[in-house]
Amino acid sequence: MNNVNGILLIIGSMAAFSLEDMFIKHLSTSVSTGQIMIVLGLFCGLVFVVMSLATRKRIFDPVAWQPLPLARAGAEAVGALTFVTALSLVELSTVAAVFQAMPLAVTMGAALFLGEHVGWRRWSAIGVGFIGVLMIIRPGLEGFQPESLFVVATVVAIAARDLITRKLDVRVASSVVALQAYIAVAIAGAVLMVFFAQPVVPLQTTQVGPYLGAIGFGVLGYYGIVTAMRIGEASALTPFRYTRLVFSIAAGMLMFGERPDLMTVAGAALILGSGMYTFLRERRLARELAVAA
């Protein structure tokens, strides 16, 4: 295992995802969310078609097109739809801060739906993390933005995606799973455009750069995470996923003039702290089980 290189790749991937989000938010000022999803879905999907063919993976393997993988792709589509919508309506730093609650949602979902044991300490950490979410979105208070609930919906959808991923057949190639997700994203974008009568915006020269940036950094981020997890230990790499929040806040401040207030910063700190505690607790329990075995 090469944890140093793995950590560097994780940090680079989080920076790439933050830049992808930045370009999507920039595009959303002139292009409908549905059209953005279609373009990202088609072009990123094409990349993973090439990857699947290059590595001789069977794209149309019947195992890969069973209900469970398709349900995962559906959850990905819902998550992408709500996430892109949130980026178009809410500050980038707010979206990034609330999204960090996703690992907590995964832990809660694993306990509720997969029968995994979660003790009172981790349940307490989950509760503290969601208090942080409430501090950021502030329902019922003066600073409340109903649009911020799209980020909460994203957390639920992506947590469901990750829980389904745990149950996928190991014979299904990762590149095929990614391809299915991007196909679902494109379809969801098309449905969004039809049902909400979103206009098709002809490509303008000023949009070429942001489109390429969103597609390129999205693919780089995905490739970096896959490579990192293959060369490093998950226990060493996972904490560095939270660097995405730092990059997103910086991008929001530099590109969009955002200034997160004290309540948002405090809420983000609660989310990060509870997430780190949950991760460290899970790692300790895994070690204790390994020693007992």
Side-chain angles (χ1 to χ4, degrees):
M1 290 292 182
N2 190 334
N3 287 335
V4 174
N5 287 343
I7 288 170
L8 292 175
L9 280 170
I10 283 290
I11 294 173
S13 297
M14 295 303 103
F17 284 134
S18 297
L19 289 170
E20 178 193 23
D21 296 343
M22 181 191 74
F23 282 119
I24 290 173
K25 185 171 182 62
H26 177 73
L27 281 169
S28 68
T29 60
S30 59
V31 182
S32 68
T33 52
Q35 184 169 329
I36 294 172
M37 291 174 63
I38 291 173
V39 173
L40 292 179
L42 291 178
F43 281 91
C44 292
L46 181 61
V47 170
F48 288 106
V49 167
V50 174
M51 288 179 60
S52 297
L53 294 176
T55 55
R56 297 184 178 181
K57 304 297 183 184
R58 294 177 59 193
I59 294 176
F60 297 106
D61 188 338
V63 177
W65 297 91
Q66 297 296 316
L68 202 59
L70 295 180
R72 183 199 181 277
E76 182 86 59
V78 173
L81 190 153
T82 53
F83 189 72
V84 173
T85 302
L87 284 174
S88 68
L89 300 173
V90 184
E91 290 189 350
L92 179 58
S93 54
T94 299
V95 173
V98 175
F99 189 70
Q100 300 310 310
M102 195 270 292
L104 298 173
V106 171
T107 300
M108 183 174 68
L112 295 176
F113 302 110
L114 300 184
E116 294 186 12
H117 175 71
V118 174
W120 68 269
R121 294 181 181 84
R122 282 187 288 170
W123 275 117
S124 299
I126 291 170
V128 170
F130 285 117
I131 289 173
V133 171
L134 292 175
M135 289 173 65
I136 295 171
I137 63 177
R138 300 164 216 176
L141 300 180
E142 184 178 350
F144 175 57
Q145 287 182 279
E147 298 87 353
S148 61
L149 295 176
F150 281 112
V151 197
V152 178
T154 302
V155 169
V156 174
I158 299 303
R161 178 204 68 183
D162 286 357
L163 291 172
I164 294 172
T165 302
R166 296 186 183 187
K167 296 296 184 180
L168 289 183
D169 194 307
V170 294
R171 293 173 292 175
V172 181
S174 297
S175 57
V176 176
V177 172
L179 170 60
Q180 291 173 328
Y182 280 115
I183 291 174
V185 168
I187 293 173
V191 170
L192 188 65
M193 292 190 72
V194 170
F195 277 89
F196 290 92
Q198 294 183 350
V200 176
V201 179
L203 180 64
Q204 302 172 11
T205 54
T206 56
Q207 296 170 349
V208 173
Y211 268 127
L212 291 177
I215 295 168
F217 283 115
V219 172
L220 284 174
Y222 179 88
Y223 181 79
I225 280 185
V226 171
T227 305
M229 290 302 178
R230 286 177 175 174
I231 68 173
E233 297 173 309
S235 60
L237 305 184
T238 298
F240 292 90
R241 285 177 176 263
Y242 289 109
T243 57
R244 181 172 182 171
L245 177 58
V246 177
F247 292 126
S248 294
I249 289 176
M253 294 176 68
L254 294 174
M255 295 300 298
F256 305 109
E258 299 175 1
R259 294 294 182 270
D261 59 19
L262 183 59
M263 187 76 82
T264 298
V265 173
L270 282 181
I271 294 171
L272 293 182
S274 57
M276 283 298 299
Y277 175 82
T278 301
F279 164 74
L280 293 173
R281 181 68 181 169
E282 288 176 351
R283 184 170 68 172
R284 179 182 175 184
L285 292 174
R287 286 177 175 174
E288 291 176 354
L289 288 173
V291 171

